Amino acid sequence: MSSAASTTAPGALPGHPARQGLSALTLGAIGVVYGDIGTSPLYTVKEIFLPATGVALNPANLIGAISAIIWALMLVVTLKYVILILRADNRGEGGGLALTALATRAVGAKPVLRKFLLLLGVFGATLFYGDSVITPAISVMGAIEGLEIITPTLQPYVLPISLAVLLGLFMIQRYGTQAVGKVFGPIIVLWFVTLAVIGFMHIQQQPQILAALNPVNAWHFLTERGWHVFAAVGAIVLALTGAEALYADMGHFGAKPIRLAWTVLVFPSLVLNYMGQGALLMGDPTAIENPFYRLFPDSLLLPAVVLAAMAAVIASQAVISGAFSMTKQAIQLGFLPRMTVRYTSAREVGQIYLPAVNWALLVGVVAAVLLFGSSSALAGAYGIAVTLTMMITTVLTFFVVRDGWKLPAPLAIAATLFFLAFDLLLVAGCAIKFLDGGWFPLALGLLLFLLMSTWARGRELLMTSIRRDGLELAPFIESLSNSGANRAFRTAVYAVANPDTVPQALLHNLKHNQVLHETNVILTVKFEEIPWVAESDRITLQQLAPAFWRVSLHYGFMDQPDVPKALSQCEAKGLRIPTFETSYFLSRETVVPMPGSGMADWRERMFATMSRNAGGVAEFFCLPDNAVVELGTRVQI
């Protein structure tokens, strides 16, 4: 597999992106990918100089702290993500689960290591949900708190206004982001231009802040802190939140637009704004109460608050959409039960809405806002999930670089250790905030990991039980040749997880209805560890007997499974499945937990509960409601 990321604009020839396509994709990347990291200036500098960090507010520390921010952005975001990790594409897709699939395929010959990497990647994915709860809360509250700068009398209204904005944001998710997405790019471009211009104006007044461009000042700032360096790093890491979005959203825009947006606009604007805040504080240390909003003259404060609120909403939208996509991938890779997935755009398959995830996130976000009450308090909860995800990404990338790309071991190890050292420093800096709120996203991630690992293990035990207790398909079909069963002149499709055993629905049909259909299709749907499967590779078909066929449909974890549409292509391979003369027979398993060596009793009961509440197969696979027959069966695990 090539290590280069796909950067071709849609509709362009490979390697020759159209100019208009590249411009549009770059604008879209600015709007979606960089909203989170772009709102970090709202609170990062203020958090570095809180009393808890022990960093005194003086010119030397200002230069050192701003230098540490700039070079953290350079090393972690530019070098690690933009240059290296964007090359680790899974058929053009990025993100935690896509990288996990890539790493596990790279070490496919080592089953123990493969299982470990799979669990590690799933844990990293669950931490993303913690970020999806904290990001909307801290971004929106950080923006709305600008009202306090306009007049302190508005302070009591910050919390209710923040909750109202967040409630509205989650309420509109059902309509999709297609229409709103068209204005995301221009608003965030205006945001970054504003960051750059207002920062540059203050740099002119205190040009000595330009010394922050020298990495030596960052080194001195960190080394002079002693053990207190972890407190400072725990605040500096706030400037890096959103870096994972560079990789997670690669499939939507391609690597080249993301790199171009970062290099040309995002990184320079962030550098100028952080230096501008440092310059402001050199001249007016009292501005530390909110250095971002104090950059603006009084006449521009209200427009700045409005623009910041819009940028915060866009940043929140990015992680909410990411949570929807992550959940869909997890479902199709077998780590979560089926849920209702609604496609909000006829043109963009990636624009989806999952009601259960949306309302669960809303509950989490509201709980975070009420529990912490301010962006400063939320900053204590922010970071630990993000930095652990970064560290997991580094580990997974090593196996892609070494086993997938076959780069020399010394080079792969040296690069991994270099980035791992930064990741460990960032994790340690955030770990000291564990009791101040860092436990919140970590607890959420661990809970989700428990649910996802229980579901995956439960499905494994369920399949083992079905194989153990099921009848072999080939001898069963042979025994039917002289059975004399009544024939129904229709087509029956039996959906099964194991194509080598007799479907329970077929046994029930013969036992209770005493009928066999003229054409019987044993159907298996398989989700591969790649994002997309080409239509030419969708169907595997085998005739087992004159009345029996075995069909396998193959989908990627980003595909929309539409079984009737796929089966209509079987006619070209010799099997006609008429739309209005076909019935779909489904086995709905009722899981019965039994004492044994499978899982702990409480986990088996949890799996049984999840199985009972899983979404319907018919809706998930787009089966016609009036052609589906469900037959229940009890399965012991």
Side-chain angles (χ1 to χ4, degrees), residues 194-283:
T194 302
L195 293 183
V197 171
I198 199 70
F200 180 74
M201 291 171 59
H202 285 274
I203 292 171
Q204 287 182 309
Q205 298 172 19
Q206 299 285 345
Q208 60 266 41
I209 194 64
L210 292 171
L213 296 173
N214 186 346
V216 173
N217 290 312
W219 174 260
H220 286 160
F221 173 78
L222 295 174
T223 55
E224 290 170 0
R225 305 264 77 76
W227 288 107
H228 294 290
V229 68
F230 296 113
V233 168
I236 291 168
V237 75
L238 296 173
L240 306 175
T241 57
E244 278 287 324
L246 298 174
Y247 184 47
D249 288 309
M250 181 171 65
H252 296 288
F253 304 102
K256 189 171 184 179
I258 292 174
R259 289 188 178 118
L260 186 62
W262 174 258
T263 306
V264 173
L265 178 64
V266 178
F267 183 52
S269 299
L270 290 173
V271 169
L272 287 171
N273 192 263
Y274 283 123
M275 287 200 296
Q277 291 188 47
L280 169 69
L281 292 171
M282 281 183 171

Side-chain angles (χ1 to χ4, degrees), residues 591-601 604-605 635-637:
V591 177
V592 182
M594 297 291 291
S597 59
M599 288 190 294
D601 290 345
E604 288 190 355
R605 290 194 296 271
V635 181
Q636 296 180 350
I637 61 171

Side-chain angles (χ1 to χ4, degrees), residues 395-474:
V395 173
L396 293 173
T397 303
F398 167 77
F399 293 98
V400 175
V401 170
R402 178 71 187 102
D403 297 305
W405 301 351
K406 305 298 182 184
L407 292 185
L411 178 61
I413 292 172
T416 300
L417 290 177
F418 177 77
F419 290 119
L420 203 55
F422 280 98
D423 293 334
L424 287 170
L425 177 62
L426 296 176
V427 170
C430 293
I432 65 171
K433 301 188 292 183
F434 181 81
L435 295 178
D436 294 327
W439 58 269
F440 183 78
L442 198 57
L444 180 60
L446 288 171
L447 174 62
L448 289 171
F449 179 74
L450 174 63
L451 292 173
M452 292 171 75
S453 59
T454 297
W455 179 258
R457 177 61 177 155
R459 291 295 298 174
E460 182 182 337
L461 293 173
L462 184 64
M463 292 303 102
T464 300
S465 178
I466 291 174
R467 281 192 295 268
R468 182 184 64 240
D469 301 333
L471 299 174
E472 286 191 38
L473 182 62

Side-chain angles (χ1 to χ4, degrees), residues 459 463 466-467 473 492-503 520-528 537-542 544 549-555 561-563 566-567 570 575 577 584-586 617 621 623:
R459 291 295 298 174
M463 292 303 102
I466 291 174
R467 281 192 295 268
L473 182 62
V493 176
Y494 295 96
V496 294
N498 182 10
D500 296 319
T501 57
V502 181
N520 299 272
V521 178
I522 311 301
L523 173 69
T524 307
V525 179
K526 298 181 179 180
F527 289 99
E528 310 293 345
D537 300 325
R538 180 80 67 216
I539 301 170
T540 302
L541 185 148
Q542 177 188 8
L544 304 174
W549 297 74
R550 180 157 51 201
V551 176
S552 293
L553 301 182
H554 302 267
Y555 292 96
D562 188 331
V563 168
L567 290 180
C570 289
L575 172 61
I577 303 179
Y584 295 88
F585 290 87
L586 308 177
V617 176
F621 290 117
L623 303 180

